[in-house]
Amino acid sequence: MMSQQNQQPQPIYLKDYQVPAYLIARTELRFELDEEETLVRATLQVRRNPACTRSRAALELHGHESLELCRLSINGEILSERDFSRDEELLTVSAVPEAFTLECLTRIHPEQNTALEGLYKSDGMFCTQCEAEGFRRITFYPDRPDVMSVFRTTVVADRTRYPVLLSNGNPVESGYENDGRHFVTWEDPFPKPAYLFALVAGDLAVLEGSYTTASGRAVKLQIYADSKDLDKLDHAMLSLKRAMQWDEQVYGREYDLDIYMIVAVDFFNMGAMENKGLNIFNTSCVLASPQTTTDAAFQRVEGVVAHEYFHNWSGNRVTCRDWFQLSLKEGFTVFRDAEFSADMNSRTVKRIEDVSLLRTAQFAEDAGPMAHPVRPESFIEISNFYTLTVYEKGAEVVRMLHSLLGAEEFRRGTDLYFERHDGQAVTTDEFVQAMADVSGRDLTQFKRWYSQAGTPRVEVSDSWDEVTGRYQLSFRQSCPATPGQQEKLPFHMPIAYGLLAAGGEELAAGVLELTEAEQSFSFEALPERPVPSLLRGFSAPVKLNYGYSDEQLLHLLRHDSDGFNRWDAGQRISVALMQSLIADYRGGRELLLPDSLVDTWRSLLNDVSLDPAMVAHLLRLPSEAYLAELADVIDVEAIHEVREFLLKALAKALLPEWSAAYSRCSREEPYTPDAAACARRSLKNLSLGYLLATGEEVWLTLAEEQFNNADNMTDQQSALALVVHSGFRQAGERLLAEFQAQWQHEALVMNQWFSIQASDPWPGALERVQWLQEHPLFDARNPNKLRAVVAAFCGQNAVNFHAADGSGYAYLADWIIQLNKQNPQIASRLLTPLTRWKRYPDQVQGLMKNQLTRILDSGELSRDVYEVVSKSLA
């Protein structure tokens, strides 16, 4: 922590990057784990980096201020305090040989580590989280991703309390020591940076499996969890095997160690971590069973297991040179896991879900005070840049390369990238260069996607010559100013398109490459004026505006062969209507439901030939968050009231159709998480939501029957949330009590119980979340609980968070001030709703800004919180 009165944290700049002065050839670690303290002995084989031109560079070792240095020696000679200097972040030795052995003994206190970085305890289990800079909480080390070393780790602990001792690589030795202790030594033969180090010690159950690689190597698979959760690991094991096979088939990448391990941890700041050979997961991303896990969570487990496995090559074998290059591994791997999930399930549905997140949250990030390029130019705290821009927009940049090159050349490019840089720490430039080298294309302009922030806007107009059959599309691209970047150069973007005839047949299709600020494309000798289907598959992360008429959108909705654009046409119809209704609401005019929308939705509901998942997405109204992102000034009340009006009006107008769809999708068959079954449940529960929106008791009875008779969490939880959020107060309280009685011993299920109440849009939500904080099952040290209550209220319950008296803002600020010292990473991530204060009306702006100022003036702020607050107030 640092006091803002005395010193402000200073930014780190990409332009200042210098190669490390020293390299570590080998790292040997010995951990003596105890209940009150842990001793860490680090033995490093160090040599001067021949690439470093600073001839008299000192040896700099990162070390958190919490580290207690017991002994430091070079080549066996113990250093005195006169031989080195130390501040809050660095230990510096001025004079060292060209090559030497450094030994460091430190004392740490994992049981007191509430930041959940470095080595800490989670429900009695030792575990680590070292990305991005957690290793410096373990021992003094050059904790930067471009220092890669072979690691040998020995873990020593009480064999009764901690029978399982894990680290990176393959186990090479084990045995017993005095006083009931035992040890296991692990050897990782592949050089890695310290952020990929991992350790776990605990009393854990294990599910074992095996996988034979394409070359015939046998790999042992192990997934560890608390013994009560052993029956929830089968889906993760199946997902892992599928991911291993998919990566061999699609990318030609085989796994390289003899063993691959996953450990489920309840106290975890992130979703999961790809530590080499020993992945540490948030329990929410690995545990799954039909009784306790929703369809969405099943798919999340599958996607996250795949994501962390794919990192073995795109992140571990080839890693990032510095943290500015974070998207080199994360954006590429998100693209890989998205393609895997698309192949395992519905490609169209997956694309819709990914783009919905991008448009709602990442576009908002691009328009906010923390806007930054996919490859940032500077940061104060790197933990603040594990963002949707780096991950999701970074994946979109990789997807555009795939579109521009085609699948075959893209695969050749990844092959070259892995072969050229195996065992290296590199940059996004090297990744793009591999693509340029195999394709022969100049991708210099394309790299602006990595260096320019903001969401580009593309305006499209067209013209038609009936005599010659010449149709022309004209594009104009621009990008709004973002912090530190006022002017933007044109991007190189692929615009996938189709031209549809009146009968629905395709007259032309392909990919247009937009490279100029203004550019036109002509199509000759067409038999009729087409309806353009633009940005198919969301081929570029842009806001595209073409003046579609309602008739054209309905035509795309009925005939477009691109499933994503069919859905997008429906969304455009709904958004245009809702924006018109918002204007009516603000002007005090009566809200009316157009017959044309009812007729369109009726035809979709009655068409049994359509994929139920697609129908569910088509008939799900745009979210309040998406409508807010589209607004110049966010009127929370108007957005909420209009969406509620439309929901209830469509519910009543299509009551027979909703009832029929519910019945059609309510099959009595054993639960499976496959795409077809998930699709049916999706439409069934969407229909139930509309039925409950009528306010009629008969549908409440139906929902209660579903709640009581459900054989899976998707149906039970959906019924609970829909009843609670539909305003049936007595029934809602009764079902909440029954749900708690049934599932109070399942932490992940109870997180959903917390979240349903925290996100309840009815009045009194703030009092409810304050009551939930006193619940025996709530633990403010656990990030999952904080996300379930605080984040759910502040991020998913806009109408209550933005209460006119500002109480929601004060509530969040109170939490930020508390968590700033306890867990700075979580504090900075929870801050997001307050950072967008400039998007709201003047009165609201003042209330939100006051709370940001209160946080800034509250005392010593972590770098995490200071960076977000100071940039928000700038």
mmCIF file with all atom_site columns, all heavy atoms in Angstrom, residues 17 83 163 179 235 241 413 436 537 640 643 680 690 779 830 862:
data_model
loop_
_atom_site.group_PDB
_atom_site.id
_atom_site.type_symbol
_atom_site.label_atom_id
_atom_site.label_alt_id
_atom_site.label_comp_id
_atom_site.label_asym_id
_atom_site.label_entity_id
_atom_site.label_seq_id
_atom_site.pdbx_PDB_ins_code
_atom_site.Cartn_x
_atom_site.Cartn_y
_atom_site.Cartn_z
_atom_site.occupancy
_atom_site.B_iso_or_equiv
_atom_site.pdbx_formal_charge
_atom_site.auth_seq_id
_atom_site.auth_comp_id
_atom_site.auth_asym_id
_atom_site.auth_atom_id
_atom_site.pdbx_PDB_model_num
ATOM 1   N N   . TYR A 1 17  ? 10.791  -0.926  -22.050 1.00 0.00 ? 17  TYR A N   1
ATOM 2   C CA  . TYR A 1 17  ? 11.203  -2.325  -21.860 1.00 0.00 ? 17  TYR A CA  1
ATOM 3   C C   . TYR A 1 17  ? 12.693  -2.501  -22.142 1.00 0.00 ? 17  TYR A C   1
ATOM 4   O O   . TYR A 1 17  ? 13.226  -1.979  -23.137 1.00 0.00 ? 17  TYR A O   1
ATOM 5   C CB  . TYR A 1 17  ? 10.412  -3.261  -22.770 1.00 0.00 ? 17  TYR A CB  1
ATOM 6   C CG  . TYR A 1 17  ? 10.972  -4.673  -22.770 1.00 0.00 ? 17  TYR A CG  1
ATOM 7   C CD1 . TYR A 1 17  ? 10.634  -5.562  -21.746 1.00 0.00 ? 17  TYR A CD1 1
ATOM 8   C CD2 . TYR A 1 17  ? 11.872  -5.091  -23.752 1.00 0.00 ? 17  TYR A CD2 1
ATOM 9   C CE1 . TYR A 1 17  ? 11.166  -6.842  -21.721 1.00 0.00 ? 17  TYR A CE1 1
ATOM 10  C CE2 . TYR A 1 17  ? 12.408  -6.379  -23.727 1.00 0.00 ? 17  TYR A CE2 1
ATOM 11  C CZ  . TYR A 1 17  ? 12.055  -7.245  -22.700 1.00 0.00 ? 17  TYR A CZ  1
ATOM 12  O OH  . TYR A 1 17  ? 12.584  -8.514  -22.676 1.00 0.00 ? 17  TYR A OH  1
ATOM 13  N N   . ASP A 1 83  ? 25.798  -5.616  1.790   1.00 0.00 ? 83  ASP A N   1
ATOM 14  C CA  . ASP A 1 83  ? 26.038  -6.110  0.430   1.00 0.00 ? 83  ASP A CA  1
ATOM 15  C C   . ASP A 1 83  ? 24.838  -5.944  -0.493  1.00 0.00 ? 83  ASP A C   1
ATOM 16  O O   . ASP A 1 83  ? 24.941  -6.205  -1.700  1.00 0.00 ? 83  ASP A O   1
ATOM 17  C CB  . ASP A 1 83  ? 26.437  -7.589  0.479   1.00 0.00 ? 83  ASP A CB  1
ATOM 18  C CG  . ASP A 1 83  ? 27.721  -7.817  1.251   1.00 0.00 ? 83  ASP A CG  1
ATOM 19  O OD1 . ASP A 1 83  ? 28.651  -7.004  1.083   1.00 0.00 ? 83  ASP A OD1 1
ATOM 20  O OD2 . ASP A 1 83  ? 27.770  -8.788  2.028   1.00 0.00 ? 83  ASP A OD2 1
ATOM 21  N N   . PRO A 1 163 ? -1.572  -35.047 2.908   1.00 0.00 ? 163 PRO A N   1
ATOM 22  C CA  . PRO A 1 163 ? -1.068  -36.254 2.233   1.00 0.00 ? 163 PRO A CA  1
ATOM 23  C C   . PRO A 1 163 ? -0.772  -36.049 0.746   1.00 0.00 ? 163 PRO A C   1
ATOM 24  O O   . PRO A 1 163 ? -0.005  -36.803 0.161   1.00 0.00 ? 163 PRO A O   1
ATOM 25  C CB  . PRO A 1 163 ? -2.203  -37.266 2.432   1.00 0.00 ? 163 PRO A CB  1
ATOM 26  C CG  . PRO A 1 163 ? -3.419  -36.433 2.660   1.00 0.00 ? 163 PRO A CG  1
ATOM 27  C CD  . PRO A 1 163 ? -2.959  -35.213 3.384   1.00 0.00 ? 163 PRO A CD  1
ATOM 28  N N   . ASP A 1 179 ? 9.352   -36.517 12.529  1.00 0.00 ? 179 ASP A N   1
ATOM 29  C CA  . ASP A 1 179 ? 8.190   -35.839 13.121  1.00 0.00 ? 179 ASP A CA  1
ATOM 30  C C   . ASP A 1 179 ? 6.935   -35.951 12.258  1.00 0.00 ? 179 ASP A C   1
ATOM 31  O O   . ASP A 1 179 ? 6.137   -35.011 12.180  1.00 0.00 ? 179 ASP A O   1
ATOM 32  C CB  . ASP A 1 179 ? 8.498   -34.365 13.387  1.00 0.00 ? 179 ASP A CB  1
ATOM 33  C CG  . ASP A 1 179 ? 9.698   -34.198 14.310  1.00 0.00 ? 179 ASP A CG  1
ATOM 34  O OD1 . ASP A 1 179 ? 9.853   -35.035 15.230  1.00 0.00 ? 179 ASP A OD1 1
ATOM 35  O OD2 . ASP A 1 179 ? 10.481  -33.260 14.094  1.00 0.00 ? 179 ASP A OD2 1
ATOM 36  N N   . HIS A 1 235 ? -17.316 -34.671 -15.579 1.00 0.00 ? 235 HIS A N   1
ATOM 37  C CA  . HIS A 1 235 ? -17.478 -33.794 -16.749 1.00 0.00 ? 235 HIS A CA  1
ATOM 38  C C   . HIS A 1 235 ? -16.175 -33.086 -17.076 1.00 0.00 ? 235 HIS A C   1
ATOM 39  O O   . HIS A 1 235 ? -15.816 -32.944 -18.255 1.00 0.00 ? 235 HIS A O   1
ATOM 40  C CB  . HIS A 1 235 ? -18.593 -32.780 -16.489 1.00 0.00 ? 235 HIS A CB  1
ATOM 41  C CG  . HIS A 1 235 ? -18.841 -31.843 -17.632 1.00 0.00 ? 235 HIS A CG  1
ATOM 42  N ND1 . HIS A 1 235 ? -19.295 -32.257 -18.855 1.00 0.00 ? 235 HIS A ND1 1
ATOM 43  C CD2 . HIS A 1 235 ? -18.664 -30.494 -17.738 1.00 0.00 ? 235 HIS A CD2 1
ATOM 44  C CE1 . HIS A 1 235 ? -19.417 -31.232 -19.670 1.00 0.00 ? 235 HIS A CE1 1
ATOM 45  N NE2 . HIS A 1 235 ? -19.029 -30.145 -19.021 1.00 0.00 ? 235 HIS A NE2 1
ATOM 46  N N   . LYS A 1 241 ? -10.177 -34.631 -21.888 1.00 0.00 ? 241 LYS A N   1
ATOM 47  C CA  . LYS A 1 241 ? -9.815  -35.582 -22.940 1.00 0.00 ? 241 LYS A CA  1
ATOM 48  C C   . LYS A 1 241 ? -10.247 -35.064 -24.311 1.00 0.00 ? 241 LYS A C   1
ATOM 49  O O   . LYS A 1 241 ? -9.512  -35.210 -25.295 1.00 0.00 ? 241 LYS A O   1
ATOM 50  C CB  . LYS A 1 241 ? -10.454 -36.941 -22.658 1.00 0.00 ? 241 LYS A CB  1
ATOM 51  C CG  . LYS A 1 241 ? -9.892  -37.638 -21.426 1.00 0.00 ? 241 LYS A CG  1
ATOM 52  C CD  . LYS A 1 241 ? -10.600 -38.970 -21.168 1.00 0.00 ? 241 LYS A CD  1
ATOM 53  C CE  . LYS A 1 241 ? -10.036 -39.662 -19.941 1.00 0.00 ? 241 LYS A CE  1
ATOM 54  N NZ  . LYS A 1 241 ? -10.724 -40.939 -19.651 1.00 0.00 ? 241 LYS A NZ  1
ATOM 55  N N   . GLY A 1 413 ? 0.373   -20.879 -40.170 1.00 0.00 ? 413 GLY A N   1
ATOM 56  C CA  . GLY A 1 413 ? 0.952   -19.781 -39.396 1.00 0.00 ? 413 GLY A CA  1
ATOM 57  C C   . GLY A 1 413 ? 1.172   -20.162 -37.940 1.00 0.00 ? 413 GLY A C   1
ATOM 58  O O   . GLY A 1 413 ? 2.211   -19.840 -37.354 1.00 0.00 ? 413 GLY A O   1
ATOM 59  N N   . ALA A 1 436 ? 2.159   -13.503 -41.369 1.00 0.00 ? 436 ALA A N   1
ATOM 60  C CA  . ALA A 1 436 ? 2.581   -12.800 -42.578 1.00 0.00 ? 436 ALA A CA  1
ATOM 61  C C   . ALA A 1 436 ? 3.559   -13.649 -43.392 1.00 0.00 ? 436 ALA A C   1
ATOM 62  O O   . ALA A 1 436 ? 3.487   -13.699 -44.631 1.00 0.00 ? 436 ALA A O   1
ATOM 63  C CB  . ALA A 1 436 ? 3.229   -11.463 -42.207 1.00 0.00 ? 436 ALA A CB  1
ATOM 64  N N   . GLY A 1 537 ? -21.383 -13.360 -38.970 1.00 0.00 ? 537 GLY A N   1
ATOM 65  C CA  . GLY A 1 537 ? -20.582 -13.999 -37.938 1.00 0.00 ? 537 GLY A CA  1
ATOM 66  C C   . GLY A 1 537 ? -19.847 -13.014 -37.061 1.00 0.00 ? 537 GLY A C   1
ATOM 67  O O   . GLY A 1 537 ? -18.946 -13.388 -36.318 1.00 0.00 ? 537 GLY A O   1
ATOM 68  N N   . HIS A 1 640 ? -35.315 0.149   -17.730 1.00 0.00 ? 640 HIS A N   1
ATOM 69  C CA  . HIS A 1 640 ? -35.917 -0.949  -16.957 1.00 0.00 ? 640 HIS A CA  1
ATOM 70  C C   . HIS A 1 640 ? -37.420 -1.022  -17.182 1.00 0.00 ? 640 HIS A C   1
ATOM 71  O O   . HIS A 1 640 ? -37.971 -2.102  -17.426 1.00 0.00 ? 640 HIS A O   1
ATOM 72  C CB  . HIS A 1 640 ? -35.616 -0.756  -15.470 1.00 0.00 ? 640 HIS A CB  1
ATOM 73  C CG  . HIS A 1 640 ? -36.258 -1.783  -14.592 1.00 0.00 ? 640 HIS A CG  1
ATOM 74  N ND1 . HIS A 1 640 ? -35.823 -3.098  -14.535 1.00 0.00 ? 640 HIS A ND1 1
ATOM 75  C CD2 . HIS A 1 640 ? -37.329 -1.700  -13.748 1.00 0.00 ? 640 HIS A CD2 1
ATOM 76  C CE1 . HIS A 1 640 ? -36.584 -3.772  -13.691 1.00 0.00 ? 640 HIS A CE1 1
ATOM 77  N NE2 . HIS A 1 640 ? -37.500 -2.942  -13.200 1.00 0.00 ? 640 HIS A NE2 1
ATOM 78  N N   . ARG A 1 643 ? -38.330 -2.274  -20.737 1.00 0.00 ? 643 ARG A N   1
ATOM 79  C CA  . ARG A 1 643 ? -38.096 -3.717  -20.923 1.00 0.00 ? 643 ARG A CA  1
ATOM 80  C C   . ARG A 1 643 ? -39.149 -4.524  -20.178 1.00 0.00 ? 643 ARG A C   1
ATOM 81  O O   . ARG A 1 643 ? -39.628 -5.551  -20.673 1.00 0.00 ? 643 ARG A O   1
ATOM 82  C CB  . ARG A 1 643 ? -36.689 -4.093  -20.431 1.00 0.00 ? 643 ARG A CB  1
ATOM 83  C CG  . ARG A 1 643 ? -36.257 -5.491  -20.907 1.00 0.00 ? 643 ARG A CG  1
ATOM 84  C CD  . ARG A 1 643 ? -34.832 -5.795  -20.506 1.00 0.00 ? 643 ARG A CD  1
ATOM 85  N NE  . ARG A 1 643 ? -34.368 -7.037  -21.123 1.00 0.00 ? 643 ARG A NE  1
ATOM 86  C CZ  . ARG A 1 643 ? -34.654 -8.252  -20.653 1.00 0.00 ? 643 ARG A CZ  1
ATOM 87  N NH1 . ARG A 1 643 ? -35.412 -8.387  -19.575 1.00 0.00 ? 643 ARG A NH1 1
ATOM 88  N NH2 . ARG A 1 643 ? -34.207 -9.327  -21.277 1.00 0.00 ? 643 ARG A NH2 1
ATOM 89  N N   . ARG A 1 680 ? -33.488 -27.385 -25.652 1.00 0.00 ? 680 ARG A N   1
ATOM 90  C CA  . ARG A 1 680 ? -34.881 -27.534 -25.212 1.00 0.00 ? 680 ARG A CA  1
ATOM 91  C C   . ARG A 1 680 ? -35.101 -26.857 -23.860 1.00 0.00 ? 680 ARG A C   1
ATOM 92  O O   . ARG A 1 680 ? -36.105 -26.158 -23.664 1.00 0.00 ? 680 ARG A O   1
ATOM 93  C CB  . ARG A 1 680 ? -35.255 -29.015 -25.141 1.00 0.00 ? 680 ARG A CB  1
ATOM 94  C CG  . ARG A 1 680 ? -35.408 -29.681 -26.498 1.00 0.00 ? 680 ARG A CG  1
ATOM 95  C CD  . ARG A 1 680 ? -36.081 -31.035 -26.372 1.00 0.00 ? 680 ARG A CD  1
ATOM 96  N NE  . ARG A 1 680 ? -35.284 -31.976 -25.577 1.00 0.00 ? 680 ARG A NE  1
ATOM 97  C CZ  . ARG A 1 680 ? -34.336 -32.756 -26.075 1.00 0.00 ? 680 ARG A CZ  1
ATOM 98  N NH1 . ARG A 1 680 ? -34.030 -32.693 -27.372 1.00 0.00 ? 680 ARG A NH1 1
ATOM 99  N NH2 . ARG A 1 680 ? -33.669 -33.594 -25.299 1.00 0.00 ? 680 ARG A NH2 1
ATOM 100 N N   . TYR A 1 690 ? -41.771 -15.854 -19.577 1.00 0.00 ? 690 TYR A N   1
ATOM 101 C CA  . TYR A 1 690 ? -42.847 -15.057 -20.170 1.00 0.00 ? 690 TYR A CA  1
ATOM 102 C C   . TYR A 1 690 ? -44.193 -15.405 -19.549 1.00 0.00 ? 690 TYR A C   1
ATOM 103 O O   . TYR A 1 690 ? -45.026 -14.518 -19.307 1.00 0.00 ? 690 TYR A O   1
ATOM 104 C CB  . TYR A 1 690 ? -42.884 -15.274 -21.679 1.00 0.00 ? 690 TYR A CB  1
ATOM 105 C CG  . TYR A 1 690 ? -41.891 -14.404 -22.433 1.00 0.00 ? 690 TYR A CG  1
ATOM 106 C CD1 . TYR A 1 690 ? -40.674 -14.914 -22.881 1.00 0.00 ? 690 TYR A CD1 1
ATOM 107 C CD2 . TYR A 1 690 ? -42.168 -13.065 -22.689 1.00 0.00 ? 690 TYR A CD2 1
ATOM 108 C CE1 . TYR A 1 690 ? -39.761 -14.117 -23.572 1.00 0.00 ? 690 TYR A CE1 1
ATOM 109 C CE2 . TYR A 1 690 ? -41.271 -12.260 -23.373 1.00 0.00 ? 690 TYR A CE2 1
ATOM 110 C CZ  . TYR A 1 690 ? -40.066 -12.791 -23.800 1.00 0.00 ? 690 TYR A CZ  1
ATOM 111 O OH  . TYR A 1 690 ? -39.172 -11.992 -24.466 1.00 0.00 ? 690 TYR A OH  1
ATOM 112 N N   . ASP A 1 779 ? -18.980 -15.344 3.300   1.00 0.00 ? 779 ASP A N   1
ATOM 113 C CA  . ASP A 1 779 ? -17.619 -15.155 3.801   1.00 0.00 ? 779 ASP A CA  1
ATOM 114 C C   . ASP A 1 779 ? -16.953 -14.087 2.946   1.00 0.00 ? 779 ASP A C   1
ATOM 115 O O   . ASP A 1 779 ? -16.677 -14.313 1.765   1.00 0.00 ? 779 ASP A O   1
ATOM 116 C CB  . ASP A 1 779 ? -16.841 -16.473 3.715   1.00 0.00 ? 779 ASP A CB  1
ATOM 117 C CG  . ASP A 1 779 ? -15.439 -16.376 4.309   1.00 0.00 ? 779 ASP A CG  1
ATOM 118 O OD1 . ASP A 1 779 ? -14.987 -15.245 4.581   1.00 0.00 ? 779 ASP A OD1 1
ATOM 119 O OD2 . ASP A 1 779 ? -14.801 -17.425 4.491   1.00 0.00 ? 779 ASP A OD2 1
ATOM 120 N N   . LEU A 1 830 ? -14.354 -5.008  -8.684  1.00 0.00 ? 830 LEU A N   1
ATOM 121 C CA  . LEU A 1 830 ? -15.711 -4.643  -8.271  1.00 0.00 ? 830 LEU A CA  1
ATOM 122 C C   . LEU A 1 830 ? -16.021 -3.176  -8.548  1.00 0.00 ? 830 LEU A C   1
ATOM 123 O O   . LEU A 1 830 ? -17.183 -2.783  -8.609  1.00 0.00 ? 830 LEU A O   1
ATOM 124 C CB  . LEU A 1 830 ? -15.894 -4.930  -6.776  1.00 0.00 ? 830 LEU A CB  1
ATOM 125 C CG  . LEU A 1 830 ? -15.957 -6.400  -6.345  1.00 0.00 ? 830 LEU A CG  1
ATOM 126 C CD1 . LEU A 1 830 ? -16.042 -6.496  -4.827  1.00 0.00 ? 830 LEU A CD1 1
ATOM 127 C CD2 . LEU A 1 830 ? -17.152 -7.100  -6.981  1.00 0.00 ? 830 LEU A CD2 1
ATOM 128 N N   . SER A 1 862 ? -4.142  0.635   -2.496  1.00 0.00 ? 862 SER A N   1
ATOM 129 C CA  . SER A 1 862 ? -3.315  -0.277  -3.279  1.00 0.00 ? 862 SER A CA  1
ATOM 130 C C   . SER A 1 862 ? -3.136  0.288   -4.677  1.00 0.00 ? 862 SER A C   1
ATOM 131 O O   . SER A 1 862 ? -3.903  1.147   -5.130  1.00 0.00 ? 862 SER A O   1
ATOM 132 C CB  . SER A 1 862 ? -3.998  -1.645  -3.366  1.00 0.00 ? 862 SER A CB  1
ATOM 133 O OG  . SER A 1 862 ? -5.240  -1.529  -4.055  1.00 0.00 ? 862 SER A OG  1
#
